[in-house]
Amino acid sequence: MTDGNDARAASLRRALADALERSGDLHSPQWRRSVERVPRHLFVPEFFRRTETSDRGTLWAPISSGRDPEQWLDLAYRDETLVTQLDRHITPHDVTEPVGGDPTSSSTLPGLVVRMLEDLDVADGMSVLEVGTGSGYSSALMCDRLGDDRVTSIEVDPAVAAGAAAALRRAGFAPGLVVGDGLDGVPERAPYDRVIATCAVRRVPRPWLDQVRAGGRILVTVTGWLRGYGLAVLEMGDDGVAEGRFLPGTISFMIARSQAPPTIGDDQWNAVFGALAEVGPRPAVVGPGIRKDWTGVFVAQLALPTTQEQVIRIDGGPWTTYYLDTATESAASLTPEPDGGWAVRQSGPVRLWDKLEAAVVRWREAGSPPQERFRIRTDGHAQTVWLDAGDGSLSWDLTV
Ligand SMILES: C[S@@+](CC[C@H](N)C(=O)[O-])C[C@H]1O[C@@H](n2cnc3c(N)ncnc32)[C@H](O)[C@@H]1O
């Protein structure tokens, strides 16, 4: 980059730091200094930008320093998530026109990166394990703040990891980088004072508990197969159990690849459609719109941890939401009624919608408390999430 561009990048970084302070994501002078110093543009030499939605779904346009240097530099310092990989293999380098695909790697929204670093509550001398290196930008901020030898980062995708390693080198940082499944942690560099995950998990894995010191923190987004999310901070006890709470905000991350839901084939869905067509309906107390309620879908997912959904219209019929629990082969469907309500049909050994409604109704009766009223405890095998209502009346266990 030219000196002019360097000066421009430095000024964009200051503007980004100002914006992050105004949004309330950035509080501490130490992290502000790192935001001002770490050149994010080196971590996103190319990325995708969401363009239009076509009949092929969302399309992503490639942006790179070579194609449009000014736009690229500006975007690199906006408070935006920059998608760097689609469908686990397509990079901006591979395409010249907008393409379809599902994001599988990104440089996270700087506001979220910084907010999580603030929530991590680090102090000088602490060591951190990061799960999900991605572009390497958040690893670089931590190296800047804590020193290279205090930072370890693991990334499951070898191509993504290679890109991050090159960017970190270019920017002058040298954390411990590992390619592998972050759910195993990195035992050879343990113990850690902090674990931070920038991919989401259904279940906090046992190796993280083994590798974090007693009194240390784990910051991770807990998710599930109904795509509810909650950012949790857990403190490690000296009894091998970590316990904590959910933080406010609407934060979502891609699920760790090894905990992604199993693919449900067309044959399996067709069997579900057939089975439910044989069943009589009842009026639903809770409709499928629960998925649009941030905490509501989280509660629904706690009740149905191995269930997936799809919305589909068969042979010109009404748009119907289908649910399939792959663990028990139980299913449910929700079809709109002319009066604005929903008809529910259920098949299989577990009445999925009965379970979901029981949980959601109890949560509503408790006043629909937000996520920060929920707590989480895990020993790495059994994970419990409960509503901190005093009477323990809403509690969910996850062992699968
Ligand atoms: C949102 S991106 C990370 C963003 C990154 N912290 C940054 O600032 O650019 C999430 C990353 O997690 C990685 N990932 C997904 N599952 C993983 C796993 N089981 N172990 C390690 N990394 C994983 C993805 O490949 C992806 O690169």
Side-chain angles (χ1 to χ4, degrees), residues 17 20 53 83 88 107 118 172 205-206 232 241 259 293 334 381:
L20 299 183
T53 302
V83 171
R88 297 193 180 184
S107 175
E118 296 277 14
R206 177 74 228 171
V241 176
Q259 292 188 350
D293 182 314
L334 276 291
H381 301 290

Side-chain angles (χ1 to χ4, degrees), residues 105-108 130 132-135 138 155-156 181-182 198 256-258:
S105 191
S106 62
S107 175
T108 307
E130 176 187 47
T133 315
S135 69
S138 46
E155 166 61 50
V156 74
D181 186 348
T198 54
R257 292 191 183 178
S258 33

Side-chain angles (χ1 to χ4, degrees), residues 231-245:
L231 177 63
V233 59
L234 296 97
E235 185 159 319
M236 190 64 211
D238 46 22
D239 53 358
V241 176
E243 186 175 322
R245 64 200 168 87

Side-chain angles (χ1 to χ4, degrees), residues 106-149:
S106 62
S107 175
T108 307
L109 186 75
L112 175 52
V113 170
V114 166
R115 185 206 142 167
M116 286 179 71
L117 292 174
E118 296 277 14
D119 288 335
L120 199 59
D121 192 25
V122 295
D124 292 347
M126 283 189 175
S127 60
V128 179
L129 170 66
E130 176 187 47
V131 177
T133 315
S135 69
Y137 176 64
S138 46
S139 330
L141 289 171
M142 288 190 273
C143 289
D144 186 74
R145 168 81 176 77
L146 296 167
D148 291 339
D149 55 345

Side-chain angles (χ1 to χ4, degrees), residues 77-305:
Y77 288 104
R78 291 243 193 107
D79 192 15
E80 282 186 19
T81 294
L82 300 175
V83 171
T84 49
Q85 188 197 60
L86 299 170
D87 292 344
R88 297 193 180 184
H89 70 102
I90 305 170
T91 68
H93 188 73
D94 302 328
V95 300
T96 50
E97 298 294 326
V99 284
D102 289 324
T104 42
S105 191
S106 62
S107 175
T108 307
L109 186 75
L112 175 52
V113 170
V114 166
R115 185 206 142 167
M116 286 179 71
L117 292 174
E118 296 277 14
D119 288 335
L120 199 59
D121 192 25
V122 295
D124 292 347
M126 283 189 175
S127 60
V128 179
L129 170 66
E130 176 187 47
V131 177
T133 315
S135 69
Y137 176 64
S138 46
S139 330
L141 289 171
M142 288 190 273
C143 289
D144 186 74
R145 168 81 176 77
L146 296 167
D148 291 339
D149 55 345
R150 300 284 174 188
V151 181
T152 303
S153 186
I154 179 165
E155 166 61 50
V156 74
D157 186 307
V160 171
L168 283 158
R169 250 192 326 273
R170 272 198 305 275
F173 298 108
L177 292 178
V178 179
V179 181
D181 186 348
L183 301 187
D184 297 333
V186 181
E188 57 277 19
R189 288 174 60 100
Y192 306 100
D193 297 291
R194 301 285 185 262
V195 175
I196 178 171
T198 54
C199 54
V201 299
R202 285 181 72 227
R203 206 153 70 116
V204 180
R206 177 74 228 171
W208 297 2
L209 307 190
D210 293 335
Q211 293 170 32
V212 75
R213 276 183 229 282
R217 276 187 169 205
I218 298 172
L219 184 68
V220 60
T221 303
V222 176
T223 187
W225 297 344
L226 288 178
R227 291 190 286 270
Y229 299 88
L231 177 63
V233 59
L234 296 97
E235 185 159 319
M236 190 64 211
D238 46 22
D239 53 358
V241 176
E243 186 175 322
R245 64 200 168 87
F246 288 86
L247 300 175
T250 51
I251 284 160
S252 62
F253 276 107
M254 44 192 83
I255 191 166
R257 292 191 183 178
S258 33
Q259 292 188 350
T263 303
I264 301 175
D266 288 348
D267 287 354
Q268 221 175 336
W269 278 120
N270 285 333
V272 166
F273 305 151
L276 289 167
E278 305 287 308
V279 178
R282 70 158 171 86
V285 177
V286 176
I290 192 69
R291 80 166 79 85
K292 296 189 196 128
D293 182 314
W294 185 262
T295 307
V297 69
F298 184 74
V299 170
Q301 176 178 276
L302 290 167
L304 303 179

